[in-house]
Amino acid sequence: MKRRLEDKAAIVVGAGTRGEGIGNGKATAVQFAREGAKVLCVDLVEAEAERTAQMIRAEGGRAEVCPADIVKAADCRRVVETCLDRFQKVDILHNNVGIPSGTEIIDTAEETWDQVLEVNLTGMFLMCKQVLPRMIEGGGGSIINVSTVASVRSFPDAAYSASKGAVNSLTVYLAGRYTRYNIRANALLLGYMDTPLARPAWEDEKVRQFNIRQVPMRRFASPWEGAMAAAFLASDEASYITGAVIPVDGGLSIS
């Protein structure tokens, strides 16, 4: 049976994982490959991207690596050129980038605000700017931007919430302007995830239980659950879905 991403070429930004285990980007890169895609693993830290690529290759998939700082336009251009050079096309862009400030607005330094918006929003803007002309030339594609429930609920991090709210708006803009070129754009609103990045917060049992009680499903998400949703949006099964901001949060956004 043909896998649903067979013969597609995907760029996964943020494909590495800091620490042991599987993060959101790594899980998505691996899942894309399991679905038949050729995957370009992009990360600021080349060694982390390579670890993801090795996991894909060990399962018989095709993966290449491209280290990049996505707040630099030249790096974003190089990422797209590398995908075209290695795979001759680009069908999927998965923008999995995001850093928190960890501060309330009155405690947020201007430099911190600027850095969070640069990484979380400008990085996605630059990647989309570079990939769109190539997708138009290729006849279409799918862009998936990773957002968060913090973009639609009040969370104690002003810069993070604002930047991800802008990601939602950017996604809707992309869908409205580029669907005519057969390019779909959707966003995933991730809730509380059980990933190496988030896990230190959950080690405090009081914090863990306080947050779990907010989730109707009463558990945190596996990164594979976000990856499955991304693979669906990247596939032709989602051919009539664009401009959607889809929660993958166990009901957190409506609790």
Side-chain angles (χ1 to χ4, degrees):
M1 189 170 92
K2 184 176 180 180
R3 294 173 293 180
R4 59 183 172 177
L5 299 183
E6 200 76 56
D7 300 324
K8 294 186 183 292
I11 296 171
V12 177
V13 179
T17 295
R18 307 295 182 269
E20 295 302 317
I22 303 288
N24 295 321
K26 187 172 188 174
T28 299
V30 172
Q31 187 61 38
F32 281 1
R34 288 173 177 173
E35 299 280 3
K38 296 168 284 190
V39 182
L40 182 66
C41 300
V42 179
D43 202 90
L44 183 63
V45 180
E46 183 173 9
E48 296 298 339
E50 182 59 42
R51 288 175 65 186
T52 301
Q54 288 175 357
M55 184 174 176
I56 291 170
R57 293 170 192 144
E59 295 184 359
R62 172 85 184 274
E64 301 287 344
V65 170
C66 185
D69 184 350
I70 50 87
V71 302
K72 297 178 180 177
D75 278 23
C76 294
R77 189 178 307 113
R78 179 169 50 79
V79 167
V80 176
E81 289 173 350
T82 300
C83 188
L84 291 168
D85 179 63
R86 304 293 172 80
F87 305 142
Q88 291 71 59
K89 60 178 182 172
V90 54
D91 301 299
I92 302 160
L93 170 61
H94 185 76
N95 273 320
N96 176 67
V97 289
I99 60 171
S101 73
T103 56
E104 297 281 3
I105 191 167
I106 59 175
D107 300 315
T108 304
E110 291 179 30
E111 296 80 7
T112 300
W113 174 272
D114 290 343
Q115 181 188 24
V116 171
L117 263 71
E118 183 178 45
V119 173
N120 296 3
L121 179 60
T122 303
M124 290 196 187
F125 151 70
L126 290 172
M127 281 304 308
C128 289
K129 181 178 179 179
Q130 293 300 322
V131 84
L132 282 165
R134 300 304 191 177
M135 284 186 171
I136 292 171
E137 291 172 3
S142 175
I143 296 173
I144 304 152
N145 295 325
V146 175
S147 186
T148 170
V149 172
S151 67
V152 296
R153 289 187 59 183
S154 180
F155 274 67
D157 191 323
Y160 185 64
S161 296
S163 66
K164 290 297 188 176
V167 167
N168 299 349
S169 295
L170 175 64
T171 303
V172 172
Y173 160 81
L174 291 169
R177 301 300 297 173
Y178 290 93
T179 299
R180 70 191 73 177
Y181 301 108
N182 195 34
I183 297 171
R184 297 181 296 104
N186 296 287
L188 293 177
L189 286 188
L190 299 187
Y192 296 142
M193 310 297 292
D194 185 12
T195 65
L197 186 64
R199 202 163 293 138
W202 311 143
E203 289 174 356
D204 184 317
E205 189 59 26
K206 288 184 178 180
V207 172
R208 180 181 180 86
Q209 290 305 318
F210 174 80
N211 285 284
I212 282 182
R213 283 196 297 270
Q214 297 178 50
V215 182
M217 285 191 176
R218 294 296 188 267
R219 65 176 178 84
F220 300 146
S222 159
W224 297 107
E225 292 175 302
M228 289 289 189
F232 166 70
L233 290 174
S235 76
D236 293 338
E237 293 177 6
S239 60
Y240 205 58
I241 300 175
T242 193
V245 180
I246 300 174
V248 183
D249 66 353
L252 177 61
S253 58
I254 58 170
S255 68

